């Protein structure tokens, strides 16, 4: 095994957006090789998708298990670790309970892996609302736990649309370098989004270029009701059900939601709004010219999954998998910078846009 061959482990792996991004990044950096070691998620269909698409993954290497009962000690040693711990309690859309919620404390299982396996590096992902949970104390606590496990964390709020992802998706990414490597002069720097390689892409470009074949994976169309079609026909691109001038019988009886994504149609000249795992009540993401929700393949395009990437499970399950995933193109940006850092290859960088009181940089 060469110095830059990394055995990767993952918790909360989802369908494989983070892993695919790591493999794509390795192809762009000389001498780097990513080897799947293990991953885990609690949902069977999600794991089926991961195993079907990620190189080296198998039924035996990706246990379907609740992280609270997963025996990490029986999993293999790793050089790198990725975890996008559940964001339900940190999202600005939810109740924002942070560490006091049901999902917030699950980050600790990632910390346990750092203590037990001591990988050379880690990449952790969560929603932008993470920094405000519990008055900012939740994220401060999480970073201190990462430091306590023996790592130097570098935190940044990435706006992925600035890195060529055709979607306004803002995520907190923490990259950690193990202390001994940091003391040897290895530091992670935030990649500069102004580089020419990061070409802006609109929603219409992502979905139509090239045209999606009719027989493409996960390209089933939703059967829209007559009322939904009538409503969408009166909503202009970029508008939603509350900003459009709808007749009384097509209006939604919900207050205070003018900035909502409910029945919001894409603006074809801009990146899409954030694709989520929800889908009921008009949140599927809607086409800019046709009165319909996007297909899962179209949603996957906005999330930068290649067309060969086949999602497993029911249509509803696939929709959730796509919405909860890390965009592979966004993950590639992070991993490419990380791999260059580990090889001490200089690259254009910027200062982190987040500082956390009480936490050492």
């Amino acid at each position: 095994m060469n110095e830059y061959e990394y055995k990767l482990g993952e918790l909360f792996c989802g369908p494989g957006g983070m892993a695919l991004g790591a493999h794509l990044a390795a192809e762009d950096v000389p001498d780097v090789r990513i080897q799947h070691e293990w991953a885990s998620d609690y949902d069977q269909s999600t794991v089926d998708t991961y195993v079907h698409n990620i190189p080296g993954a198998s039924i035996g290497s990706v246990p379907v298990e609740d992280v609270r009962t997963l025996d990490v000690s029986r999993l293999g040693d790793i050089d790198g670790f990725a975890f996008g711990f559940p964001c339900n309690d940190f999202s600005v859309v939810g109740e924002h309970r942070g560490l006091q919620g049901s999902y917030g404390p699950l980050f600790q299982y990632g910390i346990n892996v750092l203590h037990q396996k001591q990988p050379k590096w880690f990449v952790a992902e969560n929603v932008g609302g993470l920094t405000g949970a519990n008055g900012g104390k939740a994220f401060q606590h999480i970073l201190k736990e990462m430091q306590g496990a023996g790592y130097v964390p570098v935190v940044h709020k990435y706006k992925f649309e600035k890195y060529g992802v055709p979607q306004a998706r803002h995520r907190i990414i923490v990259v950690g370098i193990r202390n001994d490597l940091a003391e040897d002069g290895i530091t992670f720097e935030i990649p500069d989004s102004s580089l020419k390689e990061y070409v802006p892409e609109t929603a219409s470009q992502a979905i139509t270029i090239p045209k999606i074949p009719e027989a493409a994976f996960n390209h089933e169309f939703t059967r829209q009701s007559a009322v939904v079609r009538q409503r969408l026909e009166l909503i202009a691109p970029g508008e939603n059900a509350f900003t459009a001038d709808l007749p009384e019988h097509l209006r939604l009886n919900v207050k205070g939601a003018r900035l909502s994504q409910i029945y919001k149609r894409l603006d074809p000249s801009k990146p899409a709004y954030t694709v989520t795992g929800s889908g009921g009540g008009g949140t599927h993401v809607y086409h800019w010219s046709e009165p319909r929700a996007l297909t899962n393949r179209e949603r996957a395009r906005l999330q930068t999954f290649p067309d060969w990437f086949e999602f497993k499970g029911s249509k509803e399950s696939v929709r959730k998998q796509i919405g909860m995933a890390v965009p592979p193109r966004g993950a590639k940006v992070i991993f490419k910078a990380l791999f260059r850092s580990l090889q001490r290859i200089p690259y254009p960088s910027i200062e982190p846009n987040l500082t956390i009181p009480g936490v050492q940089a």
Side-chain angles (χ1 to χ4, degrees):
M1 180 173 175
N2 67 52
E3 183 180 0
Y4 305 118
E5 181 175 316
Y6 304 112
K7 292 186 293 184
L8 179 65
E10 287 189 84
L11 286 186
F12 317 106
C13 65
M18 191 89 86
L20 179 57
H23 281 276
L24 294 174
E27 294 175 1
D28 277 7
V29 182
D31 302 321
V32 175
R33 183 168 179 264
I34 285 290
Q35 176 185 323
H36 165 81
E37 183 65 23
W38 52 262
S40 183
D41 201 280
Y42 74 99
D43 180 72
Q44 182 67 61
S45 294
T46 300
V47 168
D48 290 343
T49 297
Y50 189 103
V51 169
H52 183 70
N53 293 280
I54 300 304
S58 67
I59 294 175
S61 68
V62 191
V64 181
E65 194 166 339
D66 188 314
V67 69
R68 290 167 289 194
T69 60
L70 180 66
D71 183 5
V72 173
S73 66
R74 65 182 173 86
L75 302 175
D77 291 335
I78 53 176
D79 305 290
F81 177 51
F83 62 118
F85 53 100
C87 61
N88 308 56
D89 289 326
F90 298 118
S91 173
V92 294
V93 178
E95 298 179 20
H96 219 54
R97 293 167 292 185
L99 296 179
Q100 298 171 2
S102 301
Y103 296 96
L106 296 183
F107 86 93
Q108 188 63 53
Y109 292 90
I111 302 298
N112 293 346
V113 170
L114 295 179
H115 279 288
Q116 288 191 46
K117 302 298 184 182
Q118 284 288 290
K120 295 177 180 178
W121 49 263
F122 73 82
V123 177
E125 177 264 356
N126 208 283
V127 293
L130 174 61
T131 57
N134 302 138
K137 293 181 180 180
F139 195 38
Q140 185 177 5
H141 173 71
I142 289 171
L143 290 179
K144 285 184 176 180
E145 288 288 300
M146 291 172 172
Q147 289 180 320
Y151 293 83
V152 177
V154 176
V155 57
H156 187 71
K157 185 175 182 178
Y158 291 81
K159 295 183 177 181
F160 279 136
E161 66 271 24
K162 292 186 176 182
Y163 292 91
V165 175
Q167 178 191 165
R169 197 175 188 91
H170 301 169
R171 290 295 185 266
I172 300 296
I173 305 288
V174 185
V175 176
I177 302 293
R178 202 172 61 197
N179 284 346
D180 60 314
L181 299 177
E183 290 168 359
D184 195 34
I186 293 177
T187 60
F188 176 78
E189 297 181 328
I190 311 302
D192 187 349
S193 62
S194 67
L195 299 182
K196 291 183 179 180
E197 66 180 282
Y198 304 128
V199 180
E201 188 174 14
T202 67
S204 60
Q205 288 173 324
I207 289 174
T208 64
I209 305 173
K211 182 179 179 181
I212 300 174
E214 290 185 9
F217 298 127
N218 312 118
H219 195 40
E220 304 89 351
F221 285 76
T222 298
R223 187 175 298 175
Q224 308 287 180
S225 70
V227 171
V228 169
R229 290 178 61 87
Q230 290 173 30
R231 181 179 293 124
L232 289 172
E233 286 171 348
L234 296 174
I235 298 174
E239 286 192 334
N240 62 36
F242 305 98
T243 56
D245 185 17
L246 298 177
E248 186 68 31
H249 72 285
L250 293 178
R251 293 176 188 170
L252 300 178
N253 188 25
V254 181
K255 295 182 179 180
R258 293 187 64 80
L259 297 179
S260 168
Q261 294 184 5
I262 297 177
Y263 290 110
K264 185 173 182 178
R265 302 189 78 168
L266 295 172
D267 183 331
S269 65
K270 298 179 180 179
Y273 55 89
T274 305
V275 176
T276 68
S278 59
T283 58
H284 280 88
V285 185
Y286 295 86
H287 200 277
W288 59 90
S289 63
E290 300 174 24
R292 63 173 179 84
L294 297 188
T295 69
N296 279 329
R297 188 77 263 154
E298 290 170 329
R299 289 163 58 91
R301 282 249 181 128
L302 296 179
Q303 279 279 61
T304 69
F305 282 94
D307 288 351
W308 57 258
F309 195 101
E310 182 182 4
F311 292 85
K312 298 294 187 177
S314 68
K315 187 178 176 182
E316 284 288 299
S317 172
V318 169
R319 175 180 51 73
K320 291 178 182 178
Q321 290 176 49
I322 292 170
M324 296 297 287
V326 178
R329 192 181 300 171
K332 177 183 175 181
V333 169
I334 311 302
F335 282 107
K336 188 173 178 179
L338 172 60
F339 297 154
R340 286 174 169 175
S341 298
L342 292 163
Q343 291 196 47
R344 306 176 195 269
I345 300 174
Y347 57 90
S349 62
I350 57 176
E351 292 296 316
N353 58 17
L354 291 176
T355 56
I356 310 299
V359 177
Q360 298 176 351

